[in-house]
């Protein structure tokens, strides 16, 4: 037998480093570090003449100060005002406008429109005060107030506006995620209600038959020693039925979920809609309990609906077979050969509904997408 050689230590270290890099590259900390380094790089372009032209700092000291200022961007998500105050200090001291752009973006991005507007107004007022009251500020960059404002205003407004737009985009994305999560939870709750109603229909019917049969036996055995036992059995069945009605409250009329006998009609309906179905049904499935047959029907129904939405025209293969103590449900359909012009209307909660139905009966469900097909595989205990 061929044994694959174990990777060497350098290879393992490289693989570990690659995994860590992939996990950290898109993290918020990585983005904050990238913002700080980008700001430092832009300010470093002006570093050779910064000390001589704008202040009394030496070259190395200026580099240290700029690094400290850019490091405030590392906490821009939790405390964007720190970077904002540092940027105002840089404007008055170093006549440096780069950091304020990152700071205004961060305030608008992580604190919203109101904070972004206030920060922009504060920046403009601060700059105008410096221009009017500090002699020689900024040195040789703007000779009149109008030319000065033409430089200062676009910098602040554009940076803040981009940050506010990103903030609103995050809100919309979060709202969409919450709506999707709510739809999934609602679908799961509806499926639980459907399961409960099926329990009420099937178990309630059996309890009714048990009650009637017990009462008949009680009538027939009045003159025997078993009369009292049959009466207690009938009373127990009636109480069980009452408890079932109290726990599971039906709201509105609803037809009972079909069993496996309804699969042929589902397949025929799907074929008429343009998605032919190959149905392979184990005869032993007909002996399952009504609840398990209802679960089989729901899983196949949802799979056919998904295939009609996302792979219309492709053949759907449905296999339902008993394998020892468990029941296997496999549904497979090819992927659409071309992307539809319009995305199908879908709440994205069908898989959650199927999983809840199967899980409520002690089974499992997996949905996988390969290069050329979409497959759903579910298992249910037969007993």
């Amino acid at each position: 037998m061929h044994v694959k050689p174990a990777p060497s230590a350098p290879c393992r270290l490289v693989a570990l480093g690659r995994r860590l890099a992939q996990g950290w590259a898109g993290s918020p900390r990585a983005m904050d570090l990238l913002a700080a380094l980008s700001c430092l790089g832009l300010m470093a372009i002006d570093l050779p003449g910064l000390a001589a032209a704008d202040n009394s700092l030496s070259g190395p000291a200026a580099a240290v100060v700029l690094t400290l200022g850019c490091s405030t961007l590392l906490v821009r998500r939790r405390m964007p005002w720190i970077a904002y105050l540092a940027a105002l200090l840089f404007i008055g001291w170093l006549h440096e406008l780069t950091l304020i752009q990152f700071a205004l973006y961060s305030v608008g991005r992580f604190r919203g429109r109101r904070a972004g507007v206030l920060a922009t107004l504060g920046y403009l007022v601060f700059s105008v005060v410096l221009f009017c009251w500090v002699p020689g500020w900024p040195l040789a960059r703007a000779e009149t107030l109008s030319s000065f404002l033409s430089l200062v205003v676009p910098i602040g407004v554009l940076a803040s506006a981009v940050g506010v737009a990103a903030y609103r985009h995050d809100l919309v994305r979060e709202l969409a995620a919450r709506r999707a999560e709510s739809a999934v939870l609602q679908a799961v709750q509806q499926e639980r209600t459907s399961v409960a109603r099926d329990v009420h229909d099937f178990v309630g019917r059996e309890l009714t038959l048990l009650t009637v049969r017990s009462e008949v036996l009680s009538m027939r055995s009045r003159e025997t020693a078993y009369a009292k036992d049959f009466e207690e059995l009938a009373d127990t069945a009636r109480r069980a039925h009452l408890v079932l009605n109290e726990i599971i409250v039906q709201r509105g009329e609803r037809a009972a979920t079909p069993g496996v006998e309804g699969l042929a009609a589902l397949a025929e309906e799907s074929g008429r809609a343009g998605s032919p179905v190959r149905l392979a049904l184990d005869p032993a499935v007909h002996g399952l309990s009504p609840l398990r047959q209802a679960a089989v029907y729901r899983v196949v129904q949802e799979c056919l609906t998904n295939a009609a939405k996302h792979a219309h025209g492709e053949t759907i293969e449905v296999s339902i077979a008993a394998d020892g103590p468990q029941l296997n449900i496999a549904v497979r359909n090819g992927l659409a050969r071309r992307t539809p012009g319009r995305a199908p209307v879908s709440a994205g909660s069908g898989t959650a509904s199927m999983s809840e139905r199967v899980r409520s009966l002690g089974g499992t469900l997996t949905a996988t997408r390969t290069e050329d097909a979409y497959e759903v595989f579910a298992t249910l205990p037969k007993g």
Side-chain angles (χ1 to χ4, degrees):
M1 182 178 65
H2 176 70
V3 179
K4 187 177 179 179
S8 61
C11 293
R12 290 197 297 268
L13 290 176
V14 170
L16 177 60
R18 186 182 294 112
R19 288 195 299 269
L20 293 177
Q22 291 175 350
W24 189 77
S27 65
R29 292 183 179 180
M31 298 303 296
D32 295 340
L33 180 59
L34 179 61
L37 292 177
S38 300
C39 182
L40 181 61
L42 291 173
M43 289 194 294
I45 297 175
D46 192 35
L47 185 60
L50 186 63
D54 298 332
N55 55 77
S56 59
L57 285 177
S58 63
V64 173
V65 170
L66 294 182
T67 303
L68 291 176
C70 293
S71 65
T72 59
L73 293 174
L74 298 176
V75 295
R76 64 191 184 116
R77 297 175 186 271
R78 293 178 299 170
M79 295 175 286
W81 295 107
I82 294 180
Y84 177 75
L85 295 177
L88 294 183
L89 175 63
F90 274 31
I91 292 176
W93 181 19
L94 304 177
H95 307 172
E96 177 58 61
L97 297 178
T98 303
L99 181 58
I100 191 63
Q101 300 176 57
F102 287 84
L104 287 174
Y105 170 83
S106 300
V107 172
R109 175 72 168 77
F110 302 110
R111 289 299 180 268
R113 182 177 60 183
R114 180 177 299 179
V117 171
L118 291 177
T120 304
L121 292 177
Y123 152 71
L124 295 177
V125 171
F126 181 77
S127 299
V128 171
V129 169
L130 288 178
F131 181 87
C132 295
W133 295 96
V134 178
W137 192 97
L139 183 62
R141 290 191 179 180
E143 297 179 355
T144 64
L145 180 60
S146 60
S147 59
F148 171 72
L149 292 179
S150 67
L151 172 67
V152 171
V153 173
I155 290 177
V157 173
L158 181 60
S160 181
V162 173
V164 171
Y167 177 80
R168 292 176 63 86
H169 176 72
D170 283 348
L171 290 181
V172 172
R173 185 170 56 185
E174 182 179 359
L175 179 60
R178 290 186 178 181
R179 285 178 176 175
E181 182 180 359
S182 177
V184 171
L185 292 177
Q186 184 178 5
V188 170
Q189 185 60 39
Q190 289 176 350
E191 193 63 27
R192 289 177 178 175
T193 302
S194 179
V195 172
R197 289 173 177 173
D198 287 341
V199 170
H200 181 276
D201 294 340
F202 300 134
V203 179
R205 181 178 59 189
E206 299 299 327
L207 286 175
T208 299
L209 295 176
L210 177 61
T211 302
V212 172
R213 184 61 176 166
S214 300
E215 290 176 349
V216 170
L217 293 176
S218 176
M219 294 280 295
R220 292 179 178 177
S221 60
R222 280 183 176 179
E223 304 300 330
T224 67
Y226 304 104
K228 185 177 180 181
D229 296 332
F230 283 117
E231 290 179 1
E232 291 179 353
L233 180 60
D235 291 339
T236 302
R238 279 193 297 270
R239 287 196 302 270
H241 203 174
L242 289 175
V243 170
L244 183 65
N245 289 335
E246 291 175 359
I247 294 176
I248 305 174
V249 180
Q250 288 187 318
R251 298 178 180 179
E253 295 297 327
R254 181 193 62 84
T257 303
V260 294
E261 72 279 356
L263 294 180
L266 275 181
E268 183 180 355
E269 181 181 356
S270 177
R272 289 198 303 267
S275 297
V277 178
R278 297 175 184 170
L279 178 62
L281 183 63
D282 191 336
V285 177
H286 291 279
L288 295 175
S289 66
L291 279 178
R292 282 164 175 74
Q293 291 194 33
V296 172
Y297 182 90
R298 289 298 189 193
V299 170
V300 175
Q301 182 184 44
E302 185 61 37
C303 290
L304 296 185
T305 301
N306 289 339
K309 289 180 181 178
H310 304 287
H312 184 264
E314 298 295 325
T315 301
I316 309 168
E317 298 178 359
V318 180
S319 173
I320 305 169
D323 183 14
Q326 70 179 18
L327 177 71
N328 296 331
I329 308 169
V331 183
R332 184 182 186 276
N333 62 268
L335 301 180
R337 294 182 177 86
R338 59 180 181 179
T339 305
R342 292 183 179 181
V345 178
S346 177
S349 56
T351 303
S353 299
M354 289 191 295
S355 299
E356 180 61 28
R357 168 74 68 158
V358 172
R359 192 164 47 244
S360 66
L361 296 177
T364 60
L365 184 142
T366 57
T368 57
R369 180 188 181 99
T370 63
E371 294 183 357
D372 57 351
Y374 185 80
E375 300 176 348
V376 174
F377 186 76
T379 61
L380 284 171
K382 290 172 59 178

